[in-house]
């Protein structure tokens, strides 16, 4: 009986594994065709200045609408895209699309700072800087309107090479930020050597800063660190008024989060803008 059961367990486990593997292989070949099949979309989340009461920018976040699986979240397909190298054409497509959209907004009289995520794998491409330069000049976007978000992992590997590449990007006139700051393991001394403009405090710290002392301490420390290094700071994932109150008290002026708005398609972004602006003004002028 025990033998039979263990055999069953093994065969069940194996078919589970097979299913997982099949799904992965399927996703992989589907992802390779996602661009040509027009399945990718860029959504935009508003960035808010809570001291000025303004919507000053937007972050481009890619979405994959799979023909049968529906929307596949980036946390699921970006790691896969990185593994199989597809992140390079996808990242390029996102940058191009987002720059075009930002130009379109400018034409409509709505200038927005645009930030685009850059993956580790893209960063290793020898011609990355040339490609970024070509894209922004082809579209005609003022490079000072563009910000590229990198994660700390980029900063840990190939130190000297990374600094050189970052300097080249900076020379284009593009702003650089470190995304998900505080979740990586980069040394703080290294941080002083980087031509970085902005630290984005990871959502995991923001989530608890309104009620948990330790998270609050970490958030305060990052704000102070950014201040001391002459960097700006953006809080990501702000969902509650308590979190907002804490950030305002700490003089953190820039936020992103569901409290103001979720990532949405460009036309929705435009349609929501008036409402978001009113929220931003209200956040800047609290009644209490
Ligand atoms: P990220 O760059 O740190 O982006 C912030 C993520 O937090 C987004 O998830 C956003 O929708 C979510 N978020 C924002 N505010 C809130 C909030 O108040 N509450 C909660 N619960 N979540 C909030 P999303 O769009 O699912 O993207 C996840 C990650 O996928 C991104 O994290 C980024 O690392 C990656 N990603 C997305 N688009 C791209 C892209 O075009 N290129 C690359 N390389 N990575 C991308
Ligand atoms: Mg980001
Ligand atoms: Mg982030
Ligand atoms: Mg992230």
């Amino acid at each position: 009986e025990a033998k039979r059961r263990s055999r069953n367990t093994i065969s069940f486990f194996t078919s589970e594994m097979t299913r997982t593997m099949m799904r992965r292989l399927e996703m992989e070949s589907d992802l390779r065709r996602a661009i040509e099949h027009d399945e990718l979309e860029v959504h935009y989340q508003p960035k808010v200045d809570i001291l000025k009461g303004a919507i000053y920018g937007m972050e481009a976040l890619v979405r994959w609408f799979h023909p049968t699986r529906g929307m596949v979240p980036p946390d699921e397909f970006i790691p896969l895209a990185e593994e199989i190298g597809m992140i390079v054409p996808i990242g390029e497509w996102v940058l191009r699309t987002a720059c075009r959209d930002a130009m379109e907004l400018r034409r409509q009289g709505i200038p927005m700072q645009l930030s685009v995520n850059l993956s580790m794998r893209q960063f290793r491409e020898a011609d990355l800087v040339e490609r970024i330069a070509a894209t922004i000049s082809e579209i005609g976007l003022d490079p000072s309107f563009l910000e590229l978000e990198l994660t700390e992992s980029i900063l840990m590997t190939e130190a000297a090479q990374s600094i050189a590449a970052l300097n080249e990007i900076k020379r284009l006139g593009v702003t650089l930020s470190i995304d998900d700051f505080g979740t990586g393991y980069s040394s703080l001394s290294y941080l002083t050597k980087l031509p970085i403009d902005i630290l984005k405090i990871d959502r995991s710290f923001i989530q608890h800063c309104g009620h948990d002392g330790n998270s609050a301490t970490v958030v305060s420390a990052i704000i102070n660190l950014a201040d001391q290094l002459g960097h700006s700071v953006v809080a990501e994932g702000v969902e509650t008024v308590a979190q907002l109150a804490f950030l305002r008290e700490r003089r953190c002026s820039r936020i992103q989060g569901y409290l103001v708005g979720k990532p949405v398609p460009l036309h929705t972004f435009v349609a929501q803008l008036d409402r978001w602006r009113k929220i931003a003004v209200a956040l800047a002028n609290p009644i209490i």
Side-chain angles (χ1 to χ4, degrees):
E1 167 63 29
K3 208 174 190 177
R4 195 169 62 90
R5 204 168 3 165
S6 84
R7 216 176 25 233
N8 284 343
T9 309
I10 286 168
S11 73
F12 170 77
F13 186 59
T14 305
S15 78
E16 232 348 85
M17 274 171 56
T18 310
R19 246 202 305 279
T20 306
M21 234 165 63
M22 291 300 292
R23 181 183 150 90
R24 207 203 110 107
L25 284 174
E26 230 176 79
M27 291 275 276
E28 196 180 306
S29 70
D30 291 350
L31 190 54
R32 288 185 197 282
R33 287 188 284 266
I35 295 178
E36 51 189 285
H37 287 187
D38 225 14
E39 292 165 6
L40 299 182
E41 241 179 63
V42 182
H43 287 193
Y44 300 95
Q45 183 178 36
K47 298 181 121 176
V48 190
D49 189 317
I50 55 168
L51 299 182
K52 291 187 182 139
I55 309 294
Y56 72 92
M58 58 190 192
E59 177 173 359
L61 294 153
V62 69
R63 299 288 178 260
W64 180 20
F65 294 93
H66 188 281
T68 57
R69 294 180 203 280
M71 213 267 272
V72 185
D75 285 332
E76 239 176 84
F77 76 88
I78 294 285
L80 177 63
E82 280 173 343
E83 233 176 280
I84 65 176
M86 275 304 290
I87 193 65
V88 175
I90 290 174
E92 211 165 296
W93 181 86
V94 170
L95 179 66
R96 180 174 308 268
T97 305
C99 286
R100 278 206 192 111
D101 285 351
M103 275 304 277
E104 174 54 32
L105 289 186
R106 261 194 67 170
R107 270 193 289 272
Q108 294 182 30
I110 313 168
M112 286 284 153
Q113 184 77 37
L114 168 69
S115 60
V116 176
N117 293 282
L118 204 65
S119 104
M120 175 70 185
R121 181 66 177 63
Q122 286 173 277
F123 202 70
R124 274 200 250 112
E125 293 289 295
D127 57 353
L128 173 73
V129 183
E130 286 93 323
R131 280 164 180 269
I132 294 170
T135 301
I136 49 186
S137 82
E138 175 198 317
I139 292 166
L141 187 77
D142 178 346
S144 70
F145 275 80
L146 180 64
E147 168 186 333
L148 294 173
E149 300 190 359
L150 316 156
T151 55
E152 280 174 88
S153 55
I154 286 172
L155 315 173
M156 292 185 295
T157 50
E158 304 147 57
Q161 222 178 315
S162 304
I163 293 175
L166 291 175
N167 276 318
E168 274 185 67
I169 296 175
K170 284 287 306 169
R171 270 198 293 274
L172 298 176
V174 171
T175 302
L176 290 174
S177 57
I178 304 184
D179 205 350
D180 306 339
F181 188 77
T183 58
Y185 300 93
S186 60
S187 82
L188 294 178
S189 73
Y190 188 31
L191 193 62
T192 64
K193 300 187 180 74
L194 298 170
I196 284 289
D197 307 287
I198 299 166
L199 301 182
K200 295 191 74 177
I201 309 172
D202 191 66
R203 186 169 84 221
S204 58
F205 302 117
I206 303 299
Q207 221 159 38
H208 305 290
C209 74
H211 59 268
D212 167 64
N214 288 336
S215 296
T217 302
V218 171
V219 171
S220 294
I222 296 175
I223 293 171
N224 289 338
L225 180 70
D227 226 39
Q228 297 291 311
L229 293 172
H231 303 331
S232 303
V233 64
V234 175
E236 48 174 37
V238 179
E239 292 183 354
T240 70
V241 173
Q243 292 158 8
L244 179 92
F246 175 82
L247 292 163
R248 186 193 294 111
E249 193 183 271
R250 302 291 312 137
R251 305 296 294 168
C252 172
S253 59
R254 296 168 170 196
I255 68 155
Q256 256 178 282
Y258 294 175
L259 181 66
V260 179
K262 292 187 176 183
V264 291
L266 186 74
H267 62 93
T268 312
F269 189 95
V270 174
Q272 297 273 15
L273 201 54
D274 272 343
R275 201 174 63 83
W276 286 337
R277 282 179 169 149
K278 288 193 184 103
I279 296 173
V281 170
L283 295 181
N285 302 287
I287 305 160
I288 39 156

